[in-house]
Amino acid sequence: MKALHDFVKKFEPAKENKIAHTTYDAFYTFLFQPDSVTVDGTHIKDGMDLKRLMVQVVLALQLLYVFGTWNIGHQHFIALGLHSGLLEGFLLKVVYGLIQVLPIFIVTHVVGLGIEFLYAAKNGHSVEEGFLVSGALIPLIMPPDIPLLWLAVAIAFAVVLGKEAFGGTGMNIWNVALLARVFIFFAYPTTISGDEVWVSGIEKIGTEYYAASYNFAHHAFDAVSGIFGYTQFGLGGQAVVDGWTGATPLGIAAKEGWSGVEAVYTESQIFWGTIPGSIGESSVPLIVVGMIFLIVTRIASYRVIFGGLIGFMVAALMMNAIAPAELTAETPGIFKFMAIHPLRQMAMGSFLFAITFMATDPVSSADTPMGKWIYGFLIAFIGLIIRVMNPAYPEGWMLSILLMNTFAPLIDHYVYEANMKRRAKRTHAMAKQRDEIITKRGEMEVFDEDSEYKAVGNAGGY
């Protein structure tokens, strides 16, 4: 290892060459852990620097990338009435998903890391590692058909105005990945919320849906797969199957409740995530695996996650209590949405993904232990209210997390204030108790002296 370290060190450029040295430093710190530790003081001494801590989160997301890549292709071919089985056309689905995911992933990191490099070179410091997680999260929270130009603009907005403007990694008050998502949503609301955006390669022409023609990447795969006799994409452009809808379960539930969702998707599909939606937010089991990994490794705060689970259940049960006992065709959609069982509400949409990977961001969340419980609780409670009550946006975690990012310092402030008042009260009570003990001790001493005098007087015959 020392030989490799010495070999890499030979290529270190002069610090005067800011861009070259910044680039070298980024790769050097990625390959090797810090070579210095705190000698004095109470700091913990280990090799887990910020970059390696961020890598743990990226590792927890890998199963979602694999599943999301396959699901993009799966949803595309279901729309065409082809390869409807989970394993049918497996290679074709994965390749189709890769063709969609890789450009999103590459644009995300080229733009985001490019801006990070420019700011680091300009300011003469090392490349900050915060974008490792943001760059891994952003592709997973985007629709598979997101235009790459919109994505690039959204990432530039999030990194420059949401992060670098505040001083860089560790200084931002909002989650960077969510800022990119919220920019896309509010800049292009009608397109980003349409049914066709959630299933890749499907376009709405008039009142009909059609598959877009395949590009050179698909045809290149066909040329290679033809040699080995694998299934091919073909030319594309055909109409989708009758009755197909690209609507997500949440989009249906907002209008028709659970009965409408059941008419299109099974509970198994919703649980495993084989439904339209953002690339990596749908599979409950894989998200739970990532959640357990982050909690066990202590990368994420269990207080935020469990606080969110409690807040979600409280809000869902309150809505169940408000909803009418019997639902009819004339019942407004909002009451049908309220009546959905809490566990079904939790399985739909991106709540588990948001509370695990977004809300636990240590920079933008609350810092105090009690503040984390309150922070997670309010994210879930407010988010579910936004999901159900807002007819224009049947999901709420993006807005609720950004809102609570804003109020996280205020939550910590009141937690600190409550702790100080409690300690002051306890100190005052202890001081009062001490004074009472001293007073009683003084009275007992006086009593003992009087008793002694009386005893001496009686002995002398007085």
Side-chain angles (χ1 to χ4, degrees):
M1 183 60 71
K2 186 178 184 302
L4 177 62
H5 177 269
D6 295 339
F7 177 77
V8 174
K9 270 291 187 180
K10 292 180 181 179
F11 298 95
E12 182 176 5
K15 292 185 178 180
E16 290 73 18
N17 189 343
K18 292 184 177 180
I19 294 180
H21 191 273
T22 296
T23 305
Y24 169 84
D25 182 73
F27 287 104
Y28 175 81
T29 55
F30 184 82
L31 291 173
F32 302 101
Q33 68 183 30
D35 56 358
S36 60
V37 297
T38 304
V39 178
D40 300 320
T42 59
H43 294 80
I44 297 174
K45 307 171 184 63
D46 64 8
M48 183 62 79
D49 62 345
L50 181 60
K51 187 181 269 87
R52 280 150 190 81
L53 184 129
M54 295 296 182
V55 167
Q56 302 297 315
V57 183
V58 175
L59 289 176
L61 295 169
Q62 294 313 299
L63 289 177
L64 297 176
Y65 265 102
V66 173
F67 176 83
T69 300
W70 168 83
N71 192 45
I72 290 173
H74 183 62
Q75 297 303 319
H76 172 79
F77 287 108
I78 284 179
L80 303 181
L82 303 172
H83 314 304
S84 57
L86 296 179
L87 298 180
E88 290 181 26
F90 182 82
L91 178 61
L92 208 60
K93 293 174 182 178
V94 171
V95 171
Y96 184 89
L98 284 172
I99 292 173
Q100 295 300 123
V101 169
L102 283 177
I104 296 174
F105 189 86
I106 291 170
V107 168
T108 298
H109 285 79
V110 168
V111 175
L113 289 177
I115 295 173
E116 293 268 8
F117 269 75
L118 290 176
Y119 270 87
K122 179 182 177 181
N123 297 323
H125 59 66
S126 301
V127 175
E128 297 170 336
E129 298 85 356
F131 195 78
L132 285 175
V133 172
S134 298
L137 285 171
I138 288 173
L140 293 176
I141 62 177
M142 292 294 173
D145 252 7
I146 181 74
L148 297 180
L149 178 60
W150 296 2
L151 179 65
V153 174
I155 294 169
F157 168 84
V159 174
V160 174
L161 297 180
K163 181 179 178 183
E164 298 299 342
F166 289 95
T169 298
M171 305 297 289
N172 52 291
I173 62 175
W174 294 300
N175 185 289
V176 176
L178 283 179
L179 281 180
R181 184 66 173 79
V182 80
F183 179 88
I184 291 289
F185 177 78
F186 286 112
Y188 310 98
T190 56
T191 303
I192 202 69
S193 301
D195 290 349
E196 66 269 23
V197 74
W198 304 115
V199 178
S200 179
I202 304 300
E203 296 178 349
K204 191 173 185 179
I205 303 175
T207 58
E208 300 292 333
Y209 285 105
Y210 291 86
S213 297
Y214 297 123
N215 60 33
F216 72 96
H218 303 92
H219 298 319
F221 175 79
D222 282 352
V224 175
S225 63
I227 299 174
F228 300 96
Y230 294 148
T231 307
Q232 297 179 322
F233 289 106
L235 298 177
Q238 66 266 38
V240 302
V241 296
D242 292 337
W244 174 85
T245 174
T248 62
L250 283 177
I252 300 172
K255 301 175 183 178
E256 305 174 35
W258 185 251
S259 60
V261 175
E262 282 186 314
V264 181
Y265 303 107
T266 65
E267 289 192 9
S268 176
Q269 287 177 306
I270 294 172
F271 179 75
W272 290 103
T274 55
I275 54 176
S278 297
I279 294 173
E281 297 178 341
S282 59
S283 179
V284 173
L286 298 184
I287 293 171
V288 171
V289 170
M291 178 191 298
I292 294 172
F293 174 80
L294 294 181
I295 291 175
V296 170
T297 57
R298 298 186 179 182
I299 301 297
S301 171
Y302 73 90
R303 295 179 177 89
V304 174
I305 295 174
F306 292 156
L309 294 174
I310 295 170
F312 187 98
M313 295 301 293
V314 170
L317 290 172
M318 287 176 59
M319 291 181 182
N320 284 174
I322 296 172
E326 295 184 5
L327 302 177
T328 65
E330 290 74 27
T331 303
I334 187 172
F335 290 114
K336 293 179 180 179
F337 208 174
M338 284 183 177
I340 296 177
H341 190 277
L343 294 181
R344 289 171 174 169
Q345 281 276 21
M346 189 176 292
M348 293 191 300
S350 57
F351 166 70
L352 290 174
F353 182 92
I355 203 67
T356 300
F357 298 104
M358 296 293 188
T360 54
D361 174 18
V363 176
S364 55
S365 70
D367 289 329
T368 58
M370 179 55 67
K372 292 178 185 294
W373 283 101
I374 299 171
Y375 172 81
F377 181 93
L378 291 177
I379 283 176
F381 191 88
I382 295 172
L384 191 58
I385 291 175
I386 296 174
R387 170 194 278 189
V388 175
M389 301 294 186
N390 184 1
Y393 184 55
E395 188 62 294
W397 317 117
M398 175 182 73
L399 300 179
S400 66
I401 291 175
L402 290 175
L403 177 65
M404 296 318 299
N405 286 166
T406 305
F407 286 100
L410 186 63
I411 293 174
D412 285 332
H413 169 75
Y414 281 110
V415 170
Y416 285 130
E417 287 290 321
N419 285 340
M420 287 188 289
K421 289 180 180 179
R422 187 164 51 250
R423 289 182 179 183
K425 185 177 180 180
R426 186 167 62 245
T427 302
H428 178 73
M430 291 175 64
K432 185 178 179 181
Q433 185 179 11
R434 181 197 62 192
D435 292 341
E436 291 176 352
I437 292 173
I438 293 173
T439 302
K440 289 182 179 180
R441 182 177 298 172
E443 292 175 351
M444 290 180 67
E445 289 177 354
V446 172
F447 175 77
D448 290 342
E449 291 176 358
D450 291 344
S451 299
E452 184 178 351
Y453 291 147
K454 291 179 181 179
V456 172
N458 292 334
Y462 294 104

